Amino acid sequence: MTNSALLRRRLLLCVPALLLGAAPHAEEVEPEPAALPSEPETEAEEEAERRAPAAIATPCPVRLTPNAEPVTLSTRIDGTSFVIAFDGEGAPAERITLPSRYGHARIIGLLPVRGRELVLAAFEANTGSGEYQEMAAVIGREDSGLLRILGLETIRYRRTGACDAMNLLTGRFTAQPDGTGLRYDVFARGLGSSCPSQRGASPSWREEFGTTLRWTGTGVLTLPVRRSTAGRTRIRVEAARARAITWLRAGARRTVTLGDVRLLGLMDTLADA
């Protein structure tokens, strides 16, 4: 089997992954889209591609309020909904409800921001034929004590097309070292069609970029200034984010449905393969 065929086969078997941690990053960096190399990727890259966003076992402690004792975070699947609740002294009475058609929703991160922890919850979004998308809801408690969803971002997306064509996206969250927000890094790639005679088949491509999402402790994540030049995936991601932030600002949202995801165009962060 040739190197290019082996790479295509491996990508067909893998799903993009989310990696979590707290590490410093340079400010906005956007390499130009580039063609994929013909040689296989390193073992480390392949392992990162295969690894699904790990679930944090619940119940678990989470510090929602600065200088306060942690409360207990618990989760349950209720039909096609993922319900997040908090218990203990000073815990918010409100619950967060997210869609989970196949029961894959889970807590994937507790990241320190503004003297407390923000909760990252993954849930299924676009799960149509040949497609699988997971989004992350960023959940936090304001200085006023109000619990709300602060942001919505795609963390995994796979779209397949004719003749083994495939587009992939991986989103990665890390906490900013200064505690003022989150870093969201995206690695997207595409494999062109394996049918040499197919007209209009797109070539392989790669796009990487990162965005700092600040939070003041009140309201939702700050919408960064859009760049004057950007690749096609970044344009889609930033357009979806702008619609999501506008919606989240309109009220203290604690429930997201698949209907909301569709209406906001949050399934449009990755081009068709």
Side-chain angles (χ1 to χ4, degrees), residues 16 154-157 167-171 186-188 233 237 269-270:
T154 296
I155 55 170
R156 303 168 68 199
Y157 212 150
N167 286 348
L168 303 168
L169 182 152
T170 299
V186 170
F187 175 42
T233 303
V237 168
T269 50
L270 188 63

Side-chain angles (χ1 to χ4, degrees), residues 130-273:
E131 303 187 0
Y132 184 78
Q133 178 192 25
E134 282 191 341
M135 301 196 68
V138 182
I139 301 160
R141 197 176 193 182
E142 292 184 298
D143 292 338
S144 65
L146 183 67
L147 181 74
R148 68 189 300 170
I149 298 172
L150 310 178
L152 294 166
E153 299 284 349
T154 296
I155 55 170
R156 303 168 68 199
Y157 212 150
R158 179 188 64 212
R159 272 188 162 167
T160 57
C163 299
D164 297 336
M166 178 183 292
N167 286 348
L168 303 168
L169 182 152
T170 299
R172 179 179 187 263
F173 277 103
T174 53
Q176 286 293 101
D178 61 4
T180 62
L182 301 174
R183 178 77 177 187
Y184 172 66
D185 290 295
V186 170
F187 175 42
R189 68 177 65 187
L191 281 182
S193 168
S194 61
C195 300
S197 62
Q198 184 182 11
R199 292 185 178 180
S202 60
S204 297
W205 57 272
R206 182 193 300 263
E207 187 177 343
E208 299 177 62
F209 57 90
T211 306
T212 300
L213 303 171
R214 305 284 182 185
W215 189 52
T216 65
T218 301
V220 298
L221 296 174
T222 301
L223 190 63
V225 176
R226 297 186 67 176
R227 296 176 65 93
S228 58
T229 59
R232 63 174 185 171
T233 303
R234 183 165 192 161
I235 290 171
R236 286 172 173 266
V237 168
E238 292 187 344
R241 178 186 300 127
R243 293 189 293 268
I245 291 296
T246 298
W247 182 71
L248 293 170
R249 280 177 180 163
R253 310 283 186 183
R254 287 184 286 273
T255 298
V256 177
T257 68
L258 281 181
D260 297 327
V261 174
R262 291 191 187 96
L263 287 174
L264 291 170
L266 303 185
M267 296 179 180
D268 299 331
T269 50
L270 188 63
D272 293 336

